[in-house]
Amino acid sequence: MRRNLVVGNWKMHGSKAQISELIRLLKTGIREVGEKVEVGLCPTHLHIDLVAGLIEATRIKLGAQNAYLKESGAFTGEVSVSMLADYGVSFVLVGHSERRELFGDSDAIIASKFLAAQHFGVQPILCVGESLQQRQQNATAEVVLGQLDAVISATGIGAIAKSVVAYEPVWAIGTGQSATPDQAQEVHKLIREHLAAKNTDVARQTRIIYGGSVTAGNAKKLFAQADIDGGLVGGASLQAEEFISICKSAG
Ligand code: PEP
């Protein structure tokens, strides 16, 4: 049985004071979220230590938004997975569309980051998704499965079961225009069938979460879809009440 997962991606937001207040509210709100729902937060690297301390002794898990693919060395400005693990990070986003588009994270780099994460015991959340233009050209399946296969060919299919796949249509991220539950389910099903063609156990075990303008208003219907196992939440995760409501929808 797959456990639903809701992860907040704070992106490059938050001051120390804002984060402390947000976590204070989340710590109260999380009591209303069903125990079966796994909840995580991805602050900036700078705020990892602060958040680690604030969520100590709660069921909220700590994630990171990115990591470098090498363990250590002359890589100015980068942070390695082993450093994140040292701070109690349990999962890391790899291949977020903002990393692909703005920071040049190629399929090969993403596969290396995925491998580095698993090597250091940090669960990768592999983000895949098509642009609006690609959707309009009916290339969604090709793009999404291509991004997935780029990792599988480097890691083998078995590694996918120990990761999370996040389907995030680029046109839905930060736009307020979420995919409809049917649109999202169609792609989630496609991903699961693609995995099943390689290994049915992996397909059954792998959590596939949806991201792209998830709100308290649309989460329940999205999470009710057969192949949607929770959400990756950007903007709405910065507001405690909204994020808790989304988490409750996954329970
Ligand atoms: C994201 O950053 O992964 C995301 C889905 O953002 P938003 O919820 O704001 O669309």
Side-chain angles (χ1 to χ4, degrees):
M1 201 41 203
R2 299 185 299 269
R3 193 174 172 204
N4 276 355
L5 169 68
V6 180
V7 175
N9 173 17
W10 289 352
K11 311 194 188 196
M12 199 174 72
H13 290 293
S15 65
K16 286 193 283 183
Q18 285 167 338
I19 287 170
S20 300
E21 177 59 8
L22 180 54
I23 302 261
R24 188 183 71 75
L25 296 169
L26 291 177
K27 278 166 82 169
T28 308
I30 194 86
R31 296 190 205 126
E32 298 165 31
V33 178
E35 287 292 332
K36 284 191 200 134
V37 183
E38 197 177 348
V39 177
L41 299 172
C42 299
T44 71
H45 285 165
L46 190 62
H47 297 122
I48 291 267
D49 194 31
L50 171 67
V51 175
L54 291 171
I55 63 174
E56 211 175 2
T58 76
R59 49 184 275 226
I60 302 171
K61 295 203 170 140
L62 185 58
Q65 300 174 19
N66 180 41
Y68 194 52
L69 44 91
K70 300 278 188 187
E71 185 178 356
S72 62
F75 303 107
T76 302
E78 293 294 337
V79 170
S80 72
V81 179
S82 61
M83 290 168 181
L84 294 171
D86 199 25
Y87 276 82
V89 165
S90 17
F91 55 87
V92 60
L93 306 183
V94 294
H96 191 283
S97 65
E98 287 152 19
R99 300 280 334 160
R100 291 180 192 262
E101 274 174 31
L102 304 173
F103 302 102
D105 280 15
S106 63
D107 278 340
I109 289 172
I110 290 158
S112 298
K113 288 184 174 185
F114 185 105
L115 281 167
Q118 288 197 329
H119 180 76
F120 290 103
V122 173
Q123 188 170 41
I125 299 180
L126 171 65
C127 304
V128 296
E130 82 288 1
S131 67
L132 182 59
Q133 197 187 24
Q134 289 163 335
R135 173 161 280 259
Q136 286 166 343
Q137 290 167 346
N138 290 323
T140 299
E142 187 192 332
V143 170
V144 168
L145 300 181
Q147 290 170 342
L148 189 58
D149 281 343
V151 171
I152 294 174
S153 60
T155 64
I157 184 70
I160 300 300
K162 289 179 256 137
S163 75
V164 173
V165 176
Y167 169 57
E168 295 208 301
V170 179
W171 48 271
I173 297 178
T175 60
Q177 191 203 335
S178 169
T180 65
D182 285 349
Q183 281 174 321
Q185 166 59 20
E186 190 183 3
V187 181
H188 281 238
K189 186 165 177 271
L190 194 75
I191 293 171
R192 204 175 301 286
E193 284 172 353
H194 188 70
L195 296 177
K198 298 175 194 292
N199 184 312
T200 50
D201 286 340
V202 169
R204 202 162 17 86
Q205 288 162 18
T206 305
R207 290 185 290 185
I208 309 174
I209 62 176
Y210 168 79
S213 297
V214 175
T215 63
N218 61 25
K220 210 172 178 70
K221 282 195 180 142
L222 284 162
F223 300 164
Q225 302 303 308
D227 292 294
I228 300 184
D229 306 312
L232 180 52
V233 185
S237 69
L238 292 163
Q239 291 157 30
E241 209 180 315
E242 183 86 1
F243 186 62
I244 289 296
S245 170
I246 292 169
C247 293
K248 280 159 78 176
S249 300

